[in-house]
Amino acid sequence: MKHYKVGYTQGVYDMFHVGHLNLINNAKKQCDYLIVAVNSDDLVVEYKNKKPVIDQDARRMIVENIRAVDKAVIANTLDKVVQLKKYQYDAIFIGDDWKGSPRWEATKFELAGYGVDVVFLPYTEGVSSTDLRVIEKKKVEE
């Protein structure tokens, strides 16, 4: 397993769950300094067409209080090169459920030109914010 100086990961982290925690902890095992970007409310609405349940400042506060996180920031873009220029990371971590997707294959190719590795980490099966929302909605409807 390769070790990196600065690692970066980015997500919504809405309704924070063990899958989020596993991703962050696994990323930290592979780098000295871990930056975790929390997608802004406006960004989430823009690309997911839904408003997060928990607002961006509260989500950032939750993330920054995780032992493995060295710095938590708000992200206003999905462009990983923009974020690279801002945070100077040498590895970006993402769940392996994205492996092979056109978006992440393009990102992997683009970041390789900057000497940055895309590291796919094990996805925690059976837990996602989307699934939790659906389960909660069904409970309310019953």
Side-chain angles (χ1 to χ4, degrees):
M1 175 169 52
K2 188 171 176 183
H3 197 80
Y4 301 93
K5 185 175 179 182
V6 179
Y8 177 88
T9 191
Q10 180 173 338
V12 180
Y13 304 108
D14 199 15
M15 299 186 333
F16 197 90
H17 54 70
V18 73
H20 296 136
L21 188 61
N22 289 340
L23 178 83
I24 289 168
N25 284 336
N26 287 330
K28 180 60 179 181
K29 288 176 187 172
Q30 295 187 48
C31 63
D32 296 327
Y33 189 86
L34 180 63
I35 300 166
V36 179
V38 173
N39 292 344
S40 72
D41 293 343
D42 289 342
L43 180 61
V44 175
V45 168
E46 180 183 311
Y47 78 96
K48 285 194 170 195
N49 286 329
K50 61 183 175 186
K51 190 175 190 292
V53 174
I54 301 168
D55 74 72
Q56 67 188 32
D57 294 322
R59 289 183 284 121
R60 188 196 55 76
M61 190 182 312
I62 290 165
V63 167
E64 82 177 355
N65 279 282
I66 296 165
R67 190 176 307 133
V69 175
D70 295 296
K71 181 176 187 169
V73 298
I74 301 289
N76 293 305
T77 181
L78 295 176
D79 188 325
K80 302 308 185 259
V81 173
V82 168
Q83 297 300 76
L84 171 63
K85 291 177 181 177
K86 198 171 188 176
Y87 299 113
Q88 302 299 305
Y89 53 83
D90 54 343
I92 187 167
F93 300 98
I94 185 73
D96 65 6
D97 53 320
W98 288 101
K99 196 171 195 170
S101 75
R103 174 179 163 206
W104 277 97
E105 288 304 311
T107 299
K108 187 175 167 183
F109 179 79
E110 185 176 29
L111 291 177
Y114 293 91
V116 173
D117 290 340
V118 173
V119 180
F120 293 95
L121 297 173
Y123 176 75
T124 304
E125 292 294 328
V127 61
S128 76
S129 299
T130 301
D131 292 345
L132 292 172
R133 253 192 207 92
V134 169
I135 291 165
E136 192 57 34
K137 186 177 180 185
K138 285 181 181 176
K139 284 182 187 175
V140 169
E141 289 171 353
E142 291 173 354

